[in-house]
Amino acid sequence: MKKLEQLYEGKAKKVFKTDDPNLYIVDYKDDATAFNGLKKGTIEGKGVINNRVSNHLMKMLEKNGIPTHLVEEISERETIVKKVTIIPLEVIVRNIAAGSLAKRLGMEEGTKLGHTVLEFCYKDDALGDPLVNEYHIYALGAATKEELDLIADYAFKINQLLSDYLKDLNIELIDYKIEFGKTPDGTIILADEISPDTCRFWDSVTGEKLDKDRFRRDLGNVEGAYHEIMKRLLGE
Ligand code: ADP
Ligand code: UDP
């Protein structure tokens, strides 16, 4: 497998073409951004941790029947993935009120939600990724009803699998963002990443935040929290 030209550089990852037209290589960076790019910084070692954590979780999901883009981890920061056309939606799943939902609905952070909440944001940096409902999604042509039903079904299954898996490691899955994409043959699979950048992880015992909120909110020991997640998941 040969790494060819860079296709895209995002806020957290670079995407490269390969000599296989169906595969890309993603390269995880230490750069961190928050508030739609307004806050910028570096979290040392984050790229390595997110690459390994995301692959570890995707492997677990794949074993449990969720199709993912994961092909092979080829270095500390690089992974071969199936090339997809990203469905331009941030699929957000919430178990406990936090972040923008706590603010929007006037709930105290940490309140257990009476029902799992599924939200969609339209992926558009210029618009600040606005919250949309299913009708907006159909109107925008971002996904069909059939596709959205499948995405919702996967999102709830992933929630059960991830929550149960993390619970055993004393990690409470508060909320997270996932992305899906379409392979050239039209199959919808889980893409992008699942990491402390894209999830809220709280220690089940102490309630300590072990995710990007430490960076967003200047809570200190950001690197330590990312390391703790890797240690609990991968044992190192
Ligand atoms: P952003 O674009 O928000 O700054 P990243 O820095 O993580 O985010 O960039 C990675 C980009 O690659 C994202 O736009 C993501 O949607 C896209 N992506 C993730 N997985 C795949 C994949 N398997 N195929 C094609 N694009 C992907
Ligand atoms: N999230 C993400 N990328 C985004 C927006 C949100 O990964 O662009 C994740 C975030 O880490 C959290 C969940 O989605 O786990 C819900 O985020 P929220 O809407 O509360 O937004 P925030 O408080 O991050 O602005």
Side-chain angles (χ1 to χ4, degrees):
M1 169 70 43
K2 229 175 153 179
K3 191 172 178 182
L4 300 180
E5 81 258 28
Q6 182 177 305
L7 264 180
Y8 176 78
E9 175 160 7
K11 298 184 286 288
K13 300 189 286 299
K14 295 177 189 169
V15 182
F16 294 86
K17 272 191 174 175
T18 70
D19 54 3
D20 183 327
N22 292 315
L23 302 177
Y24 283 163
I25 290 174
V26 290
D27 185 336
Y28 285 73
K29 311 192 292 179
D30 286 351
D31 298 355
T33 62
F35 313 120
N36 201 20
L38 278 176
K39 181 176 174 130
K40 289 192 177 73
T42 304
I43 301 173
E44 213 162 307
K46 173 173 84 79
V48 172
I49 294 173
N50 284 1
N51 184 39
R52 301 188 62 197
V53 165
S54 186
N55 291 341
H56 183 79
L57 291 174
M58 288 220 189
K59 234 178 265 168
M60 184 278 289
L61 293 172
E62 193 71 67
K63 247 191 243 154
N64 285 283
I66 308 291
T68 79
H69 73 165
L70 176 63
V71 176
E72 191 190 351
E73 190 173 293
I74 51 167
S75 78
E76 277 194 321
R77 291 176 186 271
E78 296 167 304
T79 294
I80 302 172
V81 298
K82 289 178 194 155
K83 162 185 171 174
V84 294
T85 305
I86 292 286
I87 293 166
L89 296 173
E90 296 197 330
V91 178
I92 295 172
V93 183
R94 302 177 181 273
N95 299 303
I96 307 271
S100 68
L101 175 124
K103 212 169 167 185
R104 187 170 358 109
L105 299 185
M107 292 173 94
E108 196 180 338
E109 273 211 327
T111 309
K112 188 169 171 21
L113 296 165
H115 195 285
T116 307
V117 171
L118 180 62
E119 289 174 358
F120 302 103
C121 292
Y122 182 51
K123 257 175 80 75
D124 185 319
D125 280 339
L127 297 175
D129 301 335
L131 185 70
V132 289
N133 69 24
E134 57 188 294
Y135 300 102
H136 297 117
I137 292 168
Y138 308 147
L140 286 162
T144 64
K145 174 154 192 342
E146 210 181 19
E147 289 167 347
L148 204 59
D149 285 347
L150 182 61
I151 287 171
D153 191 42
Y154 280 146
F156 285 118
K157 280 194 182 124
I158 290 167
N159 192 45
Q160 193 64 53
L161 291 165
L162 279 182
S163 297
D164 289 349
Y165 179 78
L166 294 167
K167 198 174 173 191
D168 288 343
L169 305 171
N170 271 342
I171 300 166
E172 192 161 12
L173 182 61
I174 307 303
D175 59 28
Y176 56 95
K177 182 270 300 178
I178 46 181
E179 294 182 21
F180 292 88
K182 238 194 259 183
T183 59
D185 73 2
T187 309
I188 289 184
I189 63 176
L190 179 66
D192 204 49
E193 68 177 280
I194 306 178
S195 73
D197 266 15
T198 61
C199 304
R200 286 194 170 93
F201 295 135
W202 293 2
D203 184 289
S204 317
V205 179
T206 64
E208 190 188 356
K209 292 179 173 46
L210 299 171
D211 55 60
K212 196 170 155 190
D213 270 347
R214 299 205 76 83
F215 168 78
R216 292 190 190 99
R217 303 179 186 188
D218 297 318
L219 300 176
N221 196 26
V222 185
E223 276 90 0
Y226 278 71
H227 262 113
E228 181 61 26
I229 290 297
M230 182 165 74
K231 200 170 96 192
R232 290 199 199 175
L233 268 70
L234 290 127
E236 53 190 276

